[in-house]
Amino acid sequence: MSWSPVADSPLPVRPWQTAVYEQLARQARDESLPQGLILSGPERSAASRFAGALARLLICLDPGTTGPCGQCRSCQLNQAGNHPDYLVVEPDSEERPTIKVDQIRELSAGLTLASQYGGRRVAVIELADWLTIQAANSLLKTLEEPPARVIIVLVAASPERLTATVRSRCRRLTLPLPAIDAAEAWLEMHGRRDAATLLALAGGCPERSITFADEGLADYAPSLAGDILQLLQGRTSAPSLAARWAGTRLATLAFLNEQLLADCLRAKAGGSAAVRLPANDDLVALVTTLPWRVLYEYRDELTALRRAMEQPLNEALTLERLFLGWSRIVGATLSNTG
Ligand SMILES: [Zn+2]
């Protein structure tokens, strides 16, 4: 990928996404773009932002090689935030994210209308992995016979949760991550301190690093590996850790725990640990002595917990469960060595 790590992109997308964006722009000019796209990325906000940029490009009546013209009637309406040919569907509740069949029926009916300005019509479905089965079946009908010059973009963090029939009607696009040194330079250019630590915690994703930085993660996260180590050594308990970490955003905490465990698994497989937190080396040294089976089981449980956290739940109980898992993998080992 050809971009300088110190210059920001002239395109309306992140520098490391320009190759994907330019390819889509070329296909839009040739009218060879598939009418159904599934867009996923390392972080939802990144994929969502890219989908918005893509929609503005596709609706522009006179796009150039580096993006929408910014001058045409379509671009002006987009800047005002109310283009009738740019439709967005999203869950009506952040608390319980589902997209219902009525929302998809309304969208499909809207897409059969003629374009208001003679260009394309673009629908972006946010959190598309939360389509109900009925909604997915309803969407499938539109994807099978889409109206002319309609593009439907599904933004999905976990595309494998979409039905196989919907997936088969769409081209899948995964946004890339930048190289670590380029990502560090980009974060520093945007005034973020501790870029290396943030990126290690965020799995190399700059957008997630920014979210973490805004949550003050660089200040509080460093004690996490030490806390878990104390728990594994029997010097603290899951309920006390749950109380200590109450108030932290659950999704962030679950993600960090997954990162720490993934790091331990990498080290156990002979790779090098990537997370650089105080006490991380001691944690890795201890956890790598545990059997693969219990580590894999706990990894699956952490993944399930993170997903459950996307639904409303009892926060205190979930926090405790999160830390109890670590206790259990040590318990399972003590009672069943080998
Ligand atoms: Zn334009």
Side-chain angles (χ1 to χ4, degrees), residues 134-210:
Q134 293 92 329
N137 288 338
S138 174
L139 179 66
L140 182 63
K141 287 181 206 148
T142 303
L143 287 170
E144 279 169 347
E145 287 180 43
R149 307 210 79 207
V150 160
I151 308 275
I152 300 173
V153 183
L154 288 80
V155 181
S158 313
E160 68 280 0
R161 286 168 66 174
L162 290 162
T163 62
T165 45
V166 164
R167 273 183 280 139
S168 72
R169 292 282 160 184
C170 299
R171 178 177 312 161
R172 189 158 157 189
L173 274 174
T174 306
L175 295 176
L177 280 176
I180 285 292
D181 54 347
E184 268 184 48
W186 185 84
L187 282 171
E188 278 160 11
M189 186 177 74
H190 284 82
R192 304 298 171 156
R193 291 176 299 113
D194 305 315
T197 306
L198 284 168
L199 276 167
L201 292 171
C205 173
E207 276 90 356
R208 189 181 286 118
S209 299
I210 285 182

Coordinates of all heavy atoms in Angstrom, one line a residue, residues 134-210:
Q134 N -36.6 -12.6 10.0 CA -37.6 -12.1 9.1 C -37.1 -10.9 8.3 O -37.4 -10.8 7.1 CB -38.9 -11.7 9.9 CG -39.6 -12.9 10.5 CD -39.1 -13.1 12.0 OE1 -38.0 -12.8 12.3 NE2 -40.0 -13.5 12.8
A135 N -36.4 -10.1 9.0 CA -35.8 -8.9 8.3 C -34.8 -9.3 7.2 O -34.8 -8.8 6.1 CB -35.2 -7.9 9.3
A136 N -34.0 -10.3 7.6 CA -33.0 -10.8 6.6 C -33.7 -11.4 5.4 O -33.3 -11.2 4.2 CB -32.1 -11.8 7.3
N137 N -34.8 -12.2 5.6 CA -35.5 -12.8 4.5 C -36.1 -11.7 3.6 O -36.2 -11.8 2.4 CB -36.6 -13.7 5.0 CG -35.9 -15.0 5.6 OD1 -34.8 -15.3 5.2 ND2 -36.6 -15.7 6.5
S138 N -36.6 -10.7 4.3 CA -37.2 -9.6 3.5 C -36.2 -8.8 2.7 O -36.4 -8.5 1.5 CB -37.9 -8.6 4.5 OG -38.4 -7.5 3.8
L139 N -35.0 -8.6 3.3 CA -33.9 -8.0 2.6 C -33.4 -8.8 1.4 O -33.1 -8.3 0.3 CB -32.7 -7.7 3.5 CG -31.5 -7.0 2.9 CD1 -31.8 -5.6 2.5 CD2 -30.3 -7.0 4.0
L140 N -33.5 -10.1 1.6 CA -33.0 -11.0 0.5 C -33.8 -10.8 -0.8 O -33.2 -10.8 -1.9 CB -33.2 -12.5 1.0 CG -32.7 -13.5 0.0 CD1 -31.2 -13.4 -0.2 CD2 -33.0 -14.9 0.6
K141 N -35.1 -10.6 -0.6 CA -35.9 -10.3 -1.8 C -35.4 -9.1 -2.6 O -35.3 -9.2 -3.8 CB -37.4 -10.1 -1.4 CG -38.1 -11.4 -1.0 CD -39.5 -11.1 -0.6 CE -40.0 -12.1 0.4 NZ -41.0 -11.6 1.3
T142 N -35.0 -8.1 -1.9 CA -34.5 -6.9 -2.6 C -33.1 -7.1 -3.2 O -32.8 -6.7 -4.2 CB -34.5 -5.7 -1.6 OG1 -35.8 -5.5 -1.1 CG2 -34.0 -4.4 -2.2
L143 N -32.3 -7.9 -2.4 CA -31.0 -8.2 -2.9 C -31.0 -9.1 -4.2 O -30.1 -9.1 -5.0 CB -30.1 -8.9 -1.8 CG -29.7 -8.0 -0.7 CD1 -29.1 -8.8 0.4 CD2 -28.6 -7.0 -1.2
E144 N -32.1 -9.9 -4.2 CA -32.2 -10.8 -5.4 C -32.6 -10.1 -6.7 O -32.1 -10.4 -7.8 CB -33.2 -11.9 -5.1 CG -32.6 -13.1 -4.3 CD -33.7 -14.0 -3.8 OE1 -34.9 -13.7 -3.8 OE2 -33.2 -15.1 -3.3
E145 N -33.4 -9.0 -6.5 CA -33.8 -8.2 -7.6 C -33.8 -6.8 -7.3 O -34.8 -6.1 -7.2 CB -35.3 -8.6 -8.1 CG -35.3 -10.0 -8.8 CD -36.7 -10.3 -9.2 OE1 -37.4 -9.4 -9.7 OE2 -37.1 -11.5 -9.0
P146 N -32.6 -6.2 -7.1 CA -32.5 -4.8 -6.7 C -32.9 -3.9 -7.8 O -32.6 -4.2 -9.0 CB -31.0 -4.7 -6.4 CG -30.3 -5.8 -7.1 CD -31.3 -6.9 -7.3
P147 N -33.6 -2.8 -7.5 CA -33.9 -1.8 -8.5 C -32.6 -1.3 -9.2 O -31.5 -1.3 -8.5 CB -34.6 -0.7 -7.7 CG -35.0 -1.3 -6.4 CD -34.0 -2.4 -6.1
A148 N -32.7 -0.8 -10.4 CA -31.5 -0.3 -11.1 C -30.9 0.8 -10.3 O -31.5 1.6 -9.7 CB -31.9 0.2 -12.5
R149 N -29.6 0.9 -10.4 CA -28.7 1.9 -9.8 C -29.0 2.1 -8.3 O -28.9 3.2 -7.7 CB -28.9 3.3 -10.5 CG -28.7 3.1 -12.0 CD -28.2 4.4 -12.6 NE -26.7 4.6 -12.4 CZ -26.1 5.8 -12.3 NH1 -26.8 6.9 -12.4 NH2 -24.9 5.9 -12.1
V150 N -29.3 1.0 -7.6 CA -29.4 1.0 -6.2 C -28.2 0.2 -5.6 O -27.9 -0.9 -6.1 CB -30.7 0.3 -5.7 CG1 -30.7 -0.1 -4.2 CG2 -31.9 1.3 -5.9
I151 N -27.5 0.7 -4.6 CA -26.4 0.0 -3.9 C -26.8 -0.2 -2.5 O -27.2 0.8 -1.8 CB -25.1 0.7 -4.0 CG1 -24.8 1.1 -5.5 CG2 -24.0 -0.1 -3.4 CD1 -24.1 0.1 -6.3
I152 N -26.7 -1.4 -2.0 CA -27.1 -1.6 -0.6 C -25.8 -2.0 0.2 O -25.1 -3.0 -0.2 CB -28.1 -2.7 -0.4 CG1 -29.4 -2.3 -1.2 CG2 -28.5 -3.0 1.0 CD1 -30.5 -3.3 -1.3
V153 N -25.4 -1.3 1.2 CA -24.2 -1.5 1.9 C -24.6 -2.0 3.3 O -25.2 -1.3 4.1 CB -23.3 -0.3 2.1 CG1 -22.0 -0.6 2.8 CG2 -23.0 0.3 0.7
L154 N -24.2 -3.2 3.7 CA -24.4 -3.8 5.0 C -23.2 -3.6 5.8 O -22.1 -4.2 5.5 CB -24.8 -5.3 4.9 CG -26.2 -5.6 4.4 CD1 -26.2 -5.5 2.9 CD2 -26.6 -7.0 4.8
V155 N -23.2 -2.9 6.9 CA -22.1 -2.7 7.8 C -22.3 -3.7 8.9 O -23.2 -3.7 9.7 CB -22.0 -1.3 8.4 CG1 -20.8 -1.2 9.3 CG2 -22.0 -0.3 7.3
A156 N -21.3 -4.7 9.0 CA -21.5 -5.8 9.9 C -20.2 -6.1 10.6 O -19.2 -6.3 10.0 CB -22.0 -7.0 9.2
A157 N -20.2 -6.1 12.0 CA -19.0 -6.4 12.7 C -18.7 -7.9 12.6 O -17.5 -8.3 12.6 CB -19.1 -6.0 14.2
S158 N -19.7 -8.7 12.6 CA -19.5 -10.2 12.5 C -20.4 -10.7 11.3 O -21.5 -11.2 11.5 CB -20.0 -10.9 13.8 OG -19.5 -10.2 14.9
P159 N -19.8 -10.5 10.1 CA -20.6 -10.9 8.9 C -21.1 -12.4 8.9 O -22.1 -12.7 8.3 CB -19.6 -10.7 7.7 CG -18.6 -9.8 8.3 CD -18.5 -10.0 9.7
E160 N -20.4 -13.2 9.7 CA -20.8 -14.7 9.7 C -22.1 -14.8 10.4 O -22.7 -15.9 10.3 CB -19.7 -15.5 10.4 CG -19.5 -15.3 11.9 CD -18.6 -14.1 12.2 OE1 -18.2 -13.4 11.2 OE2 -18.4 -13.8 13.4
R161 N -22.6 -13.8 11.1 CA -23.9 -13.8 11.7 C -25.0 -13.5 10.8 O -26.2 -13.7 11.1 CB -23.9 -12.9 12.9 CG -23.1 -13.4 14.1 CD -22.9 -12.4 15.2 NE -24.2 -12.1 15.8 CZ -24.2 -11.3 16.9 NH1 -23.1 -10.8 17.4 NH2 -25.4 -11.0 17.4
L162 N -24.7 -13.0 9.6 CA -25.7 -12.8 8.6 C -26.1 -14.1 8.0 O -25.3 -15.1 8.0 CB -25.2 -11.9 7.5 CG -24.9 -10.4 7.8 CD1 -24.0 -9.8 6.8 CD2 -26.2 -9.7 7.9
T163 N -27.4 -14.2 7.5 CA -27.8 -15.5 6.9 C -26.9 -15.8 5.7 O -26.5 -14.9 5.0 CB -29.3 -15.5 6.6 OG1 -29.5 -14.5 5.5 CG2 -30.1 -15.2 7.8
A164 N -26.8 -17.1 5.4 CA -25.9 -17.5 4.3 C -26.5 -17.0 3.0 O -25.8 -16.6 2.0 CB -25.8 -19.0 4.2
T165 N -27.8 -16.9 2.9 CA -28.5 -16.5 1.6 C -28.2 -15.0 1.4 O -27.9 -14.6 0.3 CB -30.0 -16.7 1.7 OG1 -30.5 -16.3 3.0 CG2 -30.4 -18.1 1.5
V166 N -28.2 -14.2 2.5 CA -27.9 -12.7 2.3 C -26.4 -12.6 1.9 O -26.1 -11.9 1.0 CB -28.2 -12.0 3.6 CG1 -27.5 -10.6 3.6 CG2 -29.7 -11.8 3.8
R167 N -25.6 -13.4 2.6 CA -24.1 -13.3 2.3 C -23.9 -13.7 0.8 O -23.0 -13.1 0.2 CB -23.3 -14.2 3.2 CG -22.9 -13.5 4.5 CD -22.1 -14.4 5.4 NE -22.9 -15.4 6.1 CZ -22.6 -16.7 6.3 NH1 -21.5 -17.1 5.8 NH2 -23.4 -17.5 7.0
S168 N -24.6 -14.7 0.3 CA -24.3 -15.1 -1.0 C -24.7 -14.1 -2.1 O -24.3 -14.2 -3.2 CB -25.1 -16.4 -1.3 OG -26.5 -16.2 -1.4
R169 N -25.5 -13.1 -1.7 CA -26.0 -12.1 -2.7 C -25.1 -10.8 -2.6 O -25.4 -9.8 -3.3 CB -27.4 -11.7 -2.3 CG -28.4 -12.7 -2.6 CD -28.7 -12.8 -4.1 NE -29.3 -14.1 -4.5 CZ -29.5 -14.4 -5.7 NH1 -29.3 -13.6 -6.7 NH2 -30.1 -15.6 -6.0
C170 N -24.1 -10.8 -1.7 CA -23.3 -9.6 -1.6 C -21.8 -9.9 -1.8 O -21.4 -11.0 -1.5 CB -23.5 -9.1 -0.1 SG -25.1 -8.6 0.3
R171 N -21.1 -8.9 -2.1 CA -19.6 -9.0 -2.1 C -19.1 -8.5 -0.7 O -19.6 -7.5 -0.2 CB -18.9 -8.1 -3.2 CG -17.4 -8.3 -3.0 CD -16.6 -7.6 -4.0 NE -17.0 -7.8 -5.3 CZ -16.6 -6.9 -6.3 NH1 -15.8 -5.9 -6.0 NH2 -17.0 -7.1 -7.5
R172 N -18.2 -9.3 -0.2 CA -17.7 -9.0 1.1 C -16.4 -8.2 1.1 O -15.5 -8.5 0.3 CB -17.5 -10.3 1.9 CG -17.2 -10.1 3.3 CD -17.5 -11.3 4.1 NE -16.7 -11.2 5.3 CZ -16.6 -12.2 6.2 NH1 -17.2 -13.4 5.9 NH2 -15.9 -12.1 7.3
L173 N -16.4 -7.1 1.8 CA -15.2 -6.2 1.9 C -14.7 -6.1 3.3 O -15.5 -5.7 4.2 CB -15.6 -4.8 1.4 CG -15.6 -4.5 -0.1 CD1 -16.1 -3.1 -0.3 CD2 -14.2 -4.6 -0.6
T174 N -13.5 -6.4 3.5 CA -12.9 -6.2 4.9 C -11.9 -5.1 4.8 O -11.0 -5.1 4.0 CB -12.3 -7.5 5.4 OG1 -13.2 -8.6 5.2 CG2 -11.9 -7.4 6.8
L175 N -12.1 -4.1 5.7 CA -11.2 -3.0 5.7 C -9.9 -3.4 6.3 O -9.9 -4.1 7.3 CB -11.8 -1.8 6.4 CG -13.0 -1.2 5.8 CD1 -13.6 -0.1 6.7 CD2 -12.7 -0.6 4.4
P176 N -8.7 -3.0 5.7 CA -7.4 -3.4 6.3 C -7.0 -2.6 7.5 O -7.5 -1.5 7.7 CB -6.5 -3.2 5.1 CG -7.1 -2.0 4.4 CD -8.6 -2.1 4.6
L177 N -6.0 -3.2 8.2 CA -5.3 -2.4 9.2 C -4.0 -1.9 8.7 O -3.4 -2.5 7.8 CB -5.0 -3.3 10.4 CG -6.1 -3.7 11.4 CD1 -5.6 -4.7 12.4 CD2 -6.6 -2.4 12.1
P178 N -3.6 -0.7 9.2 CA -2.2 -0.2 8.8 C -1.1 -1.0 9.4 O -1.4 -1.7 10.4 CB -2.2 1.2 9.2 CG -3.1 1.2 10.4 CD -4.2 0.2 10.2
A179 N 0.1 -0.9 8.9 CA 1.3 -1.5 9.6 C 1.4 -0.8 10.9 O 1.1 0.4 11.0 CB 2.5 -1.3 8.7
I180 N 2.0 -1.5 11.9 CA 2.1 -0.9 13.3 C 2.8 0.4 13.3 O 2.4 1.4 13.9 CB 2.7 -1.9 14.2 CG1 1.7 -3.1 14.5 CG2 3.2 -1.3 15.5 CD1 0.5 -2.6 15.4
D181 N 4.0 0.5 12.6 CA 4.7 1.8 12.7 C 4.0 2.9 12.1 O 4.0 4.0 12.5 CB 6.2 1.6 12.2 CG 6.2 1.1 10.7 OD1 5.1 0.6 10.3 OD2 7.2 1.2 10.1
A182 N 3.3 2.6 11.0 CA 2.5 3.7 10.3 C 1.3 4.1 11.2 O 1.0 5.3 11.3 CB 2.0 3.1 9.0
A183 N 0.7 3.1 11.9 CA -0.4 3.4 12.8 C 0.1 4.3 13.9 O -0.6 5.2 14.3 CB -1.0 2.1 13.3
E184 N 1.3 3.9 14.5 CA 1.8 4.7 15.6 C 2.0 6.2 15.1 O 1.7 7.1 15.8 CB 3.2 4.1 16.0 CG 3.0 3.1 17.1 CD 4.4 2.7 17.6 OE1 5.3 3.5 17.8 OE2 4.5 1.4 17.7
A185 N 2.6 6.3 13.9 CA 2.9 7.7 13.4 C 1.6 8.4 13.2 O 1.5 9.6 13.6 CB 3.6 7.6 12.1
W186 N 0.5 7.8 12.8 CA -0.8 8.4 12.5 C -1.4 8.9 13.8 O -1.9 10.0 14.0 CB -1.7 7.4 11.8 CG -3.0 8.0 11.4 CD1 -3.3 8.8 10.3 CD2 -4.2 8.0 12.1 NE1 -4.6 9.2 10.2 CE2 -5.2 8.7 11.3 CE3 -4.6 7.4 13.3 CZ2 -6.5 8.8 11.8 CZ3 -6.0 7.5 13.7 CH2 -6.9 8.2 12.9
L187 N -1.3 8.0 14.9 CA -1.9 8.4 16.2 C -1.1 9.6 16.8 O -1.7 10.5 17.3 CB -1.8 7.2 17.1 CG -2.9 6.1 16.9 CD1 -2.6 4.9 17.8 CD2 -4.2 6.6 17.3
E188 N 0.2 9.5 16.6 CA 1.0 10.6 17.2 C 0.7 11.9 16.4 O 0.6 13.0 17.1 CB 2.5 10.3 17.1 CG 2.9 9.4 18.3 CD 4.2 8.7 18.1 OE1 4.9 9.0 17.1 OE2 4.5 7.8 18.9
M189 N 0.5 11.8 15.1 CA 0.2 13.0 14.3 C -1.2 13.6 14.8 O -1.4 14.8 14.7 CB 0.1 12.6 12.8 CG -0.2 13.7 11.9 SD -0.2 13.1 10.2 CE -1.8 12.3 10.1
H190 N -2.0 12.7 15.3 CA -3.3 13.2 15.8 C -3.3 13.4 17.3 O -4.3 13.4 18.0 CB -4.4 12.2 15.5 CG -4.8 12.3 14.0 ND1 -4.1 11.6 13.0 CD2 -5.8 13.0 13.4 CE1 -4.7 11.9 11.9 NE2 -5.7 12.7 12.1
G191 N -2.1 13.7 17.8 CA -1.9 14.2 19.2 C -2.1 13.1 20.3 O -2.4 13.5 21.4
R192 N -2.0 11.8 20.0 CA -2.2 10.8 21.0 C -0.9 10.4 21.6 O 0.0 10.0 20.9 CB -2.9 9.6 20.4 CG -4.2 9.9 19.7 CD -5.2 10.5 20.7 NE -6.4 11.0 20.0 CZ -7.6 11.1 20.6 NH1 -7.7 10.9 21.8 NH2 -8.6 11.6 19.9
R193 N -0.8 10.5 22.9 CA 0.4 10.0 23.6 C 0.3 8.4 23.8 O -0.8 7.9 23.6 CB 0.5 10.6 25.0 CG 0.8 12.1 25.0 CD 0.8 12.6 26.4 NE -0.5 12.5 27.0 CZ -0.7 11.7 28.0 NH1 0.2 10.9 28.6 NH2 -2.0 11.6 28.6
D194 N 1.3 7.8 24.2 CA 1.3 6.4 24.4 C 0.7 5.6 23.3 O 0.0 4.6 23.5 CB 0.5 6.1 25.7 CG 0.9 6.8 26.9 OD1 2.2 6.9 27.1 OD2 0.1 7.4 27.6
A195 N 1.1 6.0 22.0 CA 0.5 5.3 20.8 C 0.8 3.8 20.8 O 0.0 3.0 20.5 CB 1.0 6.0 19.6
A196 N 2.1 3.5 21.2 CA 2.5 2.1 21.1 C 1.6 1.2 22.1 O 1.1 0.1 21.7 CB 4.0 1.9 21.4
T197 N 1.5 1.7 23.3 CA 0.7 1.0 24.3 C -0.8 0.8 23.8 O -1.4 -0.2 23.9 CB 0.7 1.7 25.7 OG1 2.0 1.9 26.0 CG2 -0.1 0.9 26.7
L198 N -1.3 2.0 23.4 CA -2.7 1.9 22.9 C -2.9 0.9 21.8 O -3.9 0.2 21.8 CB -3.2 3.3 22.5 CG -3.4 4.4 23.6 CD1 -3.5 5.7 23.0 CD2 -4.7 4.0 24.3
L199 N -2.0 1.0 20.8 CA -2.2 0.1 19.7 C -2.0 -1.4 20.1 O -2.8 -2.3 19.6 CB -1.1 0.4 18.6 CG -1.5 1.5 17.7 CD1 -0.2 2.0 16.9 CD2 -2.6 1.1 16.7
A200 N -1.1 -1.7 21.0 CA -1.0 -3.1 21.5 C -2.2 -3.5 22.2 O -2.7 -4.6 21.9 CB 0.2 -3.2 22.5
L201 N -2.9 -2.6 23.0 CA -4.1 -3.0 23.6 C -5.3 -3.1 22.6 O -6.2 -3.9 22.8 CB -4.5 -1.9 24.7 CG -3.6 -1.8 25.9 CD1 -3.9 -0.6 26.7 CD2 -3.7 -3.1 26.7
A202 N -5.2 -2.3 21.6 CA -6.3 -2.2 20.6 C -6.2 -3.2 19.5 O -6.9 -3.1 18.5 CB -6.5 -0.8 20.1
G203 N -5.2 -4.1 19.6 CA -5.1 -5.1 18.5 C -4.6 -4.5 17.2 O -4.9 -5.0 16.1
G204 N -3.9 -3.3 17.3 CA -3.3 -2.7 16.1 C -4.3 -1.8 15.4 O -4.0 -1.3 14.3
C205 N -5.5 -1.6 15.9 CA -6.5 -0.8 15.2 C -6.5 0.7 15.7 O -6.8 1.0 16.9 CB -7.9 -1.4 15.5 SG -9.3 -0.4 14.9
P206 N -6.2 1.6 14.8 CA -6.1 3.0 15.2 C -7.4 3.6 15.7 O -7.4 4.3 16.7 CB -5.6 3.7 13.9 CG -5.0 2.7 13.1 CD -5.8 1.4 13.4
E207 N -8.5 3.2 15.1 CA -9.8 3.8 15.6 C -10.1 3.3 17.0 O -10.5 4.1 17.8 CB -10.9 3.4 14.6 CG -11.1 4.2 13.4 CD -10.3 3.7 12.2 OE1 -9.5 2.7 12.4 OE2 -10.4 4.3 11.1
R208 N -9.8 2.0 17.2 CA -10.1 1.5 18.6 C -9.1 2.2 19.6 O -9.5 2.5 20.7 CB -10.0 0.0 18.6 CG -10.5 -0.6 19.9 CD -10.4 -2.1 20.0 NE -11.4 -2.8 19.2 CZ -11.1 -3.6 18.2 NH1 -9.8 -3.7 17.8 NH2 -12.0 -4.1 17.5
S209 N -7.9 2.5 19.1 CA -6.9 3.1 20.0 C -7.5 4.5 20.4 O -7.3 4.9 21.6 CB -5.6 3.3 19.2 OG -5.1 2.1 18.9
I210 N -8.1 5.2 19.5 CA -8.6 6.5 19.8 C -9.8 6.4 20.8 O -9.8 7.2 21.8 CB -9.0 7.3 18.5 CG1 -7.8 7.7 17.8 CG2 -9.9 8.4 18.8 CD1 -8.0 8.5 16.5

